[in-house]
Amino acid sequence: MREAIIQSFQNLRANKLRSFLTMFGILWGMISVVVLSATGEGFRQGNDKVLRELGKNIGIVWGGRTSLQAGGERAGRVIQLTLDDARAIAAESSMVAVVSPELERGAVKVKSAYNSATTRVSGIEPQYQDIRTIELEYGRNFGWPDEEQVARVAIVGADICEQLFGKRGAVGEIMTLNGNPYTVVGKIRKKNQDSNYSGPDNNKIFVPFAAMSRDLPRRDAPPGTLSDIIVAPNEWVVRLLPRTLNERPGRIEDIDWPLEQNVRAIISRRHGFDPNDKEAMAMWDTSLNTLMFGRMVGHMKQFFTIVGIVTLALGGIGVMNIMLIAVKERTREIGVRKALGATTRTIQRQFFLEGFFLTVLSGGGGMLVALGLCRLINLAPMPERFAGMILSWQAAALSLLTLIVIGIATSTYPARRAAGTSLQQVSDAEFASDAADIA
């Protein structure tokens, strides 16, 4: 085997230009596979990162207005959510893992020792911070003791913090919210948030729900009315979404998604409206955004992969053609080796190894070039929904496996042609060579 490998490299070196041109097709094909796969993965991870800034796989629930009569009640009633509704969802829903009420108020006058502003304030419970990605640059998050003690503490967004306190550390500073003194206990990291339901978190101030209910209740609704309820579904609920989408009987817009249906059924029992009344309650389910964008990126990655593999296969066809030409040119050499006792298997192995090494070496070089290109591109600034050129190990394994399969497929046929060369073909080749010399 070692001798056959050495012989293969010597034959490739003897035809340097031909070998280089043949290798370039495989090299370019491998670059295409890797770069296109890395591009698709970069879009997927970039989108996931952006979605997590709002909160990955959460549902924001609002009250609506009934459009159907139910239980003797007229249509057109306004449904306003309460804290008891949030507690009922947490207790009764098997689909929901985490529930958090939210109480919001806009145009709150905020004043620090250094500046003043008008901004939006949200009252939240501790579990909200995890499902809504309220991650801190410094300080601490809210805990249940803050809720139980109705503590006047606050966590501030990055932009409003800079407006109120400049470049100073804000933790421990006192500010007033509509005249009520609150102590800053944390600052949220700067968020690249391109979607929201009531304004970006960078411009918000968060306080404990109990303190918000006491100091800053809603002025446009009866006491105890929430602004919205945030729910985070169990993982198995998210995993069922593709099947629900695939089994839909009509338009995507007409699907009554399981999570929304489950939450609406609980709210309908408490407020006496028809559970099939979609207008009585609204929900923005961000897991649907993840599903739809994931499908789009998935199809894009499949297209990129097919294009790359086709390019790689065309390079393999080039290798096979060159090897067939080499077999024809080396007919006399094959005859001499057979006359000296070389077996059909030996001849076949020799030409197979030449084609296989040509394919694998050029493909390996293409992967190294592609990885270097990806690293170079990643040095440049990236848009928010693109995480850079990222080659997953699955894509790398698929690329190498495809390369090996193409190497085997494109080397086997020329090798068999070489091994099947008969002595008559050798004689004909010698006769043609002698005739050419005489001419």
Side-chain angles (χ1 to χ4, degrees), residues 75-390:
R77 285 189 300 123
V78 175
I79 303 300
Q80 295 177 321
L81 302 178
T82 66
L83 181 60
D84 289 338
D85 292 330
R87 300 292 186 250
I89 295 171
E92 300 175 26
S93 175
S94 60
M95 290 187 173
V96 175
V98 182
V99 181
S100 178
E102 184 172 20
L103 183 58
E104 292 190 300
R105 184 163 165 180
V108 176
K109 295 180 180 179
V110 187
K111 187 175 182 180
S112 71
Y114 315 99
N115 205 352
S116 61
T118 299
T119 191
R120 195 169 191 86
V121 179
S122 290
I124 60 173
E125 291 186 338
Q127 69 272 21
Y128 175 100
Q129 297 163 106
D130 182 47
I131 60 177
R132 273 280 282 106
T133 324
I134 305 300
E135 299 172 348
L136 302 185
E137 181 179 332
Y138 56 78
R140 69 170 179 87
N141 287 110
F142 297 144
W144 282 107
D146 296 317
E147 191 69 23
E148 294 164 359
Q149 298 166 16
V150 198
R152 282 177 170 164
V153 292
I155 294 173
V156 292
D159 292 344
I160 191 65
C161 181
E162 185 172 351
Q163 182 176 350
L164 292 172
F165 304 103
K167 300 298 182 181
R168 304 172 183 85
V171 170
E173 294 284 353
I174 304 296
M175 62 182 180
T176 59
L177 305 179
N178 279 2
N180 301 300
Y182 278 74
T183 302
V184 177
V185 296
K187 175 189 175 184
I188 304 173
R189 64 168 174 80
K190 183 75 172 182
K191 301 179 73 171
N192 294 320
Q193 185 180 347
D194 71 347
S195 59
N196 63 79
Y197 55 92
S198 59
D201 294 341
N202 291 327
N203 296 327
K204 285 185 179 181
I205 295 175
F206 296 90
V207 301
F209 181 83
M212 183 81 177
S213 300
R214 180 191 62 194
D215 296 337
L216 299 167
R218 287 182 59 179
R219 295 175 297 181
D220 58 345
T225 303
L226 300 178
S227 300
D228 54 73
I229 299 173
I230 310 295
V231 299
N234 288 301
E235 285 296 323
W236 64 267
V237 176
V238 179
R239 288 196 297 268
L240 285 178
L241 290 178
R243 190 173 75 180
T244 304
L245 180 62
N246 293 334
E247 294 176 351
R248 71 186 186 277
R251 301 183 309 166
I252 295 177
E253 294 83 356
D254 297 331
I255 299 176
D256 195 2
W257 297 97
L259 179 62
E260 182 174 354
Q261 192 176 26
N262 178 256
V263 173
R264 189 171 62 243
I266 295 171
I267 300 299
S268 69
R269 289 195 295 269
R270 295 184 49 78
H271 291 268
F273 64 83
D274 190 322
N276 295 315
D277 189 352
K278 295 182 180 181
E279 301 298 320
M281 187 203 81
M283 174 185 284
W284 175 19
D285 188 349
T286 65
S287 59
L288 301 181
N289 297 53
T290 304
L291 172 65
M292 299 304 177
F293 196 90
R295 288 214 158 190
M296 183 186 74
V297 172
H299 291 314
M300 181 177 68
K301 287 179 66 177
Q302 289 177 3
F303 174 75
F304 285 169
T305 301
I306 291 172
V307 170
I309 290 176
V310 169
T311 305
L312 193 58
L314 292 175
I317 292 173
V319 171
M320 185 171 64
N321 288 334
I322 292 299
M323 290 304 298
L324 288 172
I325 294 172
V327 169
K328 187 175 181 180
E329 291 179 347
R330 293 162 61 184
T331 302
R332 180 179 295 179
E333 174 194 330
I334 295 170
V336 171
R337 295 187 64 186
K338 283 192 172 184
L340 293 175
T343 63
T344 299
R345 184 177 181 181
T346 302
I347 299 296
Q348 182 173 340
R349 182 175 62 186
Q350 181 65 50
F351 279 85
F352 175 83
L353 289 176
E354 287 184 25
F356 186 74
F357 287 143
L358 193 66
T359 303
V360 172
L361 288 175
S362 54
M367 176 164 280
L368 292 177
V369 171
L371 291 174
L373 183 62
C374 289
R375 293 192 65 177
L376 184 64
I377 293 174
N378 289 341
L379 296 176
M382 298 294 169
E384 288 184 3
R385 288 191 177 268
F386 184 61
M389 307 290 285
I390 301 171

